[in-house]
Amino acid sequence: SPPINTGEHDQVFSALCSHIGYCSRNGLNAGHPYGAMVSADFLARGEWGSYSYFFTKVVDRPQGHPCHIKPAGEYAVTYLAGDYYNAAPAFQLLKDFFAEHGFRPGEFCYKEAVLDEVSMADPEEYLTRISIQVLR
């Protein structure tokens, strides 16, 4: 998606709808749920409700469309059980892990739905994978 850089709900929701529409119109949906990228700077400041970009995984690099390639490397990963809007404890866990081990985070943290509103009726049953690159 274009840059979002806010946690303001209406702007985030509008950006998400725009992203999903763009992917649909351009045949960029490969069957994966969308995800969100959160700047490591937001995480450092505790701005866990702010989003930098939305993304959709694709099979092949799309020609003529903006594309971000997730860097290869080692990632710290946690899973958030419950509503993905209540991600503060999971982000704090990752932040504490990095501080405890003296690691530096990569540029973005990636939030990806594993179980979401499409597969689960109760938000407390959602499952979200949260990962961030580990730089030593």
Side-chain angles (χ1 to χ4, degrees):
S1 73
I4 304 163
N5 298 321
T6 187
E8 200 280 309
H9 183 268
D10 289 344
Q11 290 178 9
V12 169
F13 186 72
S14 177
L16 175 59
C17 290
S18 178
H19 173 72
I20 291 170
Y22 180 87
C23 290
S24 180
R25 286 189 306 278
N26 291 284
L28 298 175
N29 188 333
H32 300 284
Y34 63 86
M37 295 164 58
V38 178
S39 165
D41 292 337
F42 288 153
L43 296 179
R45 294 191 303 263
E47 297 177 26
W48 297 314
S50 294
Y51 292 89
S52 301
Y53 299 92
F54 285 110
F55 67 87
T56 299
K57 290 182 180 179
V58 294
V59 175
D60 297 311
R61 185 180 182 131
Q63 298 301 313
H65 301 283
C67 181
H68 169 81
I69 298 175
K70 184 177 178 180
E74 184 178 12
Y75 282 76
V77 178
T78 189
Y79 287 85
L80 168 66
D83 190 343
Y84 44 72
Y85 290 113
N86 298 325
F91 284 131
Q92 185 64 52
L93 181 71
L94 287 171
K95 187 176 177 182
D96 292 347
F97 173 79
F98 276 79
E100 179 182 330
H101 295 284
F103 298 147
R104 293 177 296 113
E107 185 177 9
F108 294 105
C109 182
Y110 300 87
K111 284 178 68 178
E112 303 174 67
V114 177
L115 299 172
D116 59 12
E117 63 274 1
V118 174
S119 57
M120 308 304 292
D122 182 356
E124 294 307 311
E125 295 179 353
Y126 295 174
L127 187 63
T128 305
R129 180 179 194 264
I130 301 174
S131 62
I132 188 164
Q133 188 174 27
V134 174
L135 303 176
R136 297 178 188 262

